[in-house]
Amino acid sequence: PFASGNGTVGDPYVITDGEGLEGMAGGLNSYFRLANNVTLSGHTPVGTDGDPFTGTLDGAGFTISGSISGTTNVGIFGVVDDATIENLTINGLTVTGTDGVGLIAGTMRNANNTLTNCSIDGGTVNGVNDVGSLIGILNSSTISNSQVTNSDVTGTGMNIGGLVGRAIGGSTIVDAYYSGTVDGTGATNVGGAVGLVSGGTNTVSNAYANATVTNGSGFAGSETGGVDQVDDDNVFFLDT
């Protein structure tokens, strides 16, 4: 399903279409790079709870759009563990699921996970629990230098946020921005950027949310168990 490459850091598998993107499931610990814009339809999220994605995807500035649907851990990736996702652009992608729902990944877990230099414009995310534009559940992982604009996030259960539904286990969100709407009608823990921050020392720095929030307020809907807001003058929320 790949245009070229052998999956190594020096010669990554080259992806030019949706078949190639889904083909990452056959090489979960390999290196991949986009070389074309990709439109998804009927995509199966890459990586599961028992067999997560542990490789690297370099979006190289190309765009992913289309639609994805499923139940648990729904996104381009289902579950990522010890992985790197970078330089990825998403435009107009719609993702629908129940638990752990995000445009890029349903769940990111492990301290070596990094999502960096990613951009989303016009995304739509619908779910029940742990719902966010970038990631549904961020566990011991890092998001940096990433932005979401004109995104709509809707969740009806718990932990609904513009960037991340639930950030736990010593996660880091730095140099990140969200603008759009967060609709948590009937839900608990609803925030402009993060629904719930809990467990361990989580770091939020240089982060900004400019959101219309229904049934929630503030940057984070709920903070429990230790939040280390470094440079807390640079953590802002504007309710529009």
Side-chain angles (χ1 to χ4, degrees):
F2 308 115
S4 62
N6 61 17
T8 63
V9 62
D11 189 18
Y13 289 125
V14 174
I15 296 171
T16 58
D17 55 21
E19 182 183 0
L21 202 64
E22 194 160 313
M24 291 188 296
L28 292 169
N29 64 345
S30 299
Y31 292 80
F32 302 90
R33 178 173 55 83
L34 290 186
N36 197 17
N37 295 333
V38 175
T39 300
L40 297 177
S41 178
H43 174 77
T44 299
V46 176
T48 64
D49 190 48
D51 202 8
F53 179 77
T54 59
T56 295
L57 173 63
D58 182 355
F62 288 98
T63 298
I64 295 176
S65 59
S67 62
I68 303 169
S69 62
T71 53
T72 302
N73 294 321
V74 185
I76 296 170
F77 296 92
V79 180
V80 297
D81 189 333
D82 195 17
T84 298
I85 302 168
E86 58 189 3
N87 309 321
L88 184 62
T89 300
I90 292 174
N91 191 341
L93 179 65
T94 297
V95 175
T96 302
T98 54
D99 300 333
V101 187
L103 293 171
I104 294 181
T107 296
M108 288 190 78
R109 65 186 192 202
N110 191 301
N112 294 320
N113 266 324
T114 300
L115 186 151
T116 186
N117 198 31
C118 293
S119 176
I120 293 174
D121 184 31
T124 301
V125 189
N126 300 290
V128 179
N129 302 309
D130 301 318
V131 184
S133 285
L134 290 172
I135 307 292
I137 302 172
L138 188 72
N139 187 351
S140 306
S141 301
T142 298
I143 292 174
S144 66
N145 194 34
S146 295
Q147 64 178 8
V148 179
T149 57
N150 305 312
S151 178
D152 296 317
V153 178
T154 301
T156 57
M158 63 178 65
N159 310 329
I160 317 301
L163 292 172
V164 173
R166 175 163 46 123
I168 58 177
S171 290
T172 297
I173 300 173
V174 59
D175 297 327
Y177 170 80
Y178 175 82
S179 72
T181 65
V182 179
D183 186 350
T185 301
T188 58
N189 302 334
V190 182
V194 185
L196 173 67
V197 184
S198 178
T201 301
N202 300 282
T203 300
V204 181
S205 176
N206 295 333
Y208 176 57
N210 182 355
T212 300
V213 182
T214 302
N215 194 36
S217 62
F219 187 89
S222 179
E223 299 176 0
T224 63
V227 182
D228 180 15
Q229 290 189 325
V230 179
D231 297 331
D232 107 325
D233 286 340
N234 293 324
V235 177
F236 300 105
F237 171 74
L238 175 63
D239 187 352
T240 58

